[in-house]
Amino acid sequence: MEKDCIFCKIIDKELPSDFIYENDRLVVFRDINPHAPVHILIVPKKHIRSINDLTEEDNEIVSELISVAKDMAKQESVSESGYKLFFNVERGGGQVIFHLHLHLIGGWKR
Ligand code: DGP
């Protein structure tokens, strides 16, 4: 847990958020400011600042973020219509919360 990290506080339930999914290593919740009809965040419980801070020991969790994103897309009924997965990296890349998270957006009308 990193002091003053909003996502650490959400993970530790110090701040309210409804988890769509949780296991020992990650949580999934809806983005407070959605950019698409479906906008969810897949967030490791371990505090990692950004993609730049990943080490080899994080390979498993990064892989799990993607595999859970695939499952969440199915659960949110956007698997077939399609969706985007992305990480914003540091300020210039649009990152505003400095706790690693994978965005899943989709659900646009075709
Ligand atoms: P990024 O720009 O990649 O750091 O995305 C951070 C996202 O986190 C942004 O789309 C809004 C979302 N967000 C920020 N604070 C909260 C919060 O307290 N609760 C939830 N559910 N989402 C948040």
Side-chain angles (χ1 to χ4, degrees), residues 6-7 10 15-17 29-35 39 41 86-89 93-99 101 103:
I6 291 174
F7 282 5
I10 288 175
L15 288 176
S17 187
F29 52 87
R30 294 191 193 282
D31 195 291
I32 205 169
N33 181 24
H35 289 257
H39 188 167
L41 303 172
F86 60 92
F87 294 97
N88 292 327
V89 185
Q95 188 175 5
V96 294
I97 303 289
F98 294 97
H99 180 128
H101 50 281
H103 292 259

Side-chain angles (χ1 to χ4, degrees), residues 38-109:
V38 173
H39 188 167
I40 63 178
L41 303 172
I42 302 103
V43 186
K45 289 187 173 178
K46 177 182 175 185
H47 182 87
I48 302 166
R49 178 187 162 93
S50 83
I51 285 282
N52 286 344
D53 298 272
L54 288 173
T55 65
E56 228 171 82
E57 75 172 27
D58 300 316
N59 285 350
E60 272 184 41
I61 187 64
V62 173
S63 162
E64 192 175 6
L65 293 180
I66 295 166
S67 116
V68 167
K70 183 195 78 172
D71 296 343
M72 292 297 114
K74 192 158 192 191
Q75 190 175 301
E76 296 285 317
S77 307
V78 297
S79 267
E80 297 301 319
S81 55
Y83 55 96
K84 295 178 197 253
L85 295 178
F86 60 92
F87 294 97
N88 292 327
V89 185
E90 297 296 335
R91 282 180 216 285
Q95 188 175 5
V96 294
I97 303 289
F98 294 97
H99 180 128
L100 189 72
H101 50 281
L102 177 59
H103 292 259
L104 185 164
I105 61 173
W108 306 278
K109 286 207 169 68

Side-chain angles (χ1 to χ4, degrees), residues 19-32:
F19 296 156
I20 301 170
Y21 177 76
E22 177 177 17
N23 68 23
D24 289 345
R25 295 163 301 281
L26 59 84
V27 296
V28 181
F29 52 87
R30 294 191 193 282
D31 195 291
I32 205 169

